[in-house]
Amino acid sequence: LYQRAAQLRGGQYDEAHNNLGAVYGKLKNYPKAIQHFQRALQINPRHAVAWSNLGRVLLMANKPAEAAECFRRSLTINGANVAAHLSLANILIQANKLDDAEKHAQVVLKLIPGQPDALALLQRIRKLRTGAPIQPPTSGPPPGKAGP
């Protein structure tokens, strides 16, 4: 179905190529996925989701530097793309660029206060910086205090 849709408008249907890329990505056919995401981006270079999807597939294909560039491109188009911020933060942690990774996690927390993946990234960054053990978040009253 997506392959037929990709032929619409003389092959100039960016959403169809983006969807085909997603299908091939789920099938772990990364070369085909990359091909379709790139085609979607040739048609519409401002397709933030296609940039993010291309980054995700490049990351799965073990190409983190290329993936990071795709996530950056996605974020220049849509700075509220939480998945792109989180993915880029993870790549930056792997590259030991902790300050930059922290900035992306903080942006996510401004967009979605308490977002669990962003909180986990910040804990991971703290541990990498200090060697301090990661403490699980506490719920309920502090020790020694009675609850309501």
Side-chain angles (χ1 to χ4, degrees):
L1 179 64
Y2 288 131
Q3 288 177 335
R4 290 187 73 191
Q7 301 308 313
L8 296 176
R9 298 186 212 157
Q12 297 296 307
Y13 189 27
D14 60 330
E15 282 301 323
H17 285 286
N18 183 60
N19 291 338
L20 268 170
V23 169
Y24 283 118
K26 286 184 182 190
L27 296 173
K28 298 184 193 290
N29 185 338
Y30 303 133
K32 279 282 206 188
I34 290 167
Q35 173 188 345
H36 282 285
F37 290 134
Q38 288 174 334
R39 181 67 184 126
L41 292 164
Q42 286 174 342
I43 297 165
N44 179 6
R46 296 203 41 83
H47 195 309
V49 173
W51 279 114
S52 189
N53 287 342
L54 178 57
R56 187 176 39 77
V57 168
L58 287 167
L59 195 54
M60 289 187 279
N62 200 28
K63 297 180 179 185
E66 292 175 50
E69 183 55 33
C70 291
F71 293 127
R72 285 186 184 99
R73 296 281 298 266
S74 178
L75 290 169
T76 62
I77 299 163
N78 177 7
N81 184 334
V82 170
H85 279 293
L86 293 172
S87 295
L88 184 53
N90 273 305
I91 292 169
L92 292 167
I93 288 171
Q94 293 300 316
N96 202 33
K97 295 180 179 180
L98 302 181
D99 290 342
D100 292 337
E102 182 177 16
K103 289 175 189 172
H104 286 282
Q106 292 291 355
V107 168
V108 170
L109 290 175
K110 286 180 183 172
L111 293 168
I112 306 173
Q115 205 283 344
D117 294 326
L119 291 173
L121 283 172
L122 290 175
Q123 284 187 332
R124 186 170 160 208
I125 290 166
R126 178 176 174 257
K127 182 178 180 186
L128 289 168
R129 282 186 176 143
T130 65
I134 295 176
Q135 298 295 324
T138 59
S139 60
K145 300 252 181 165

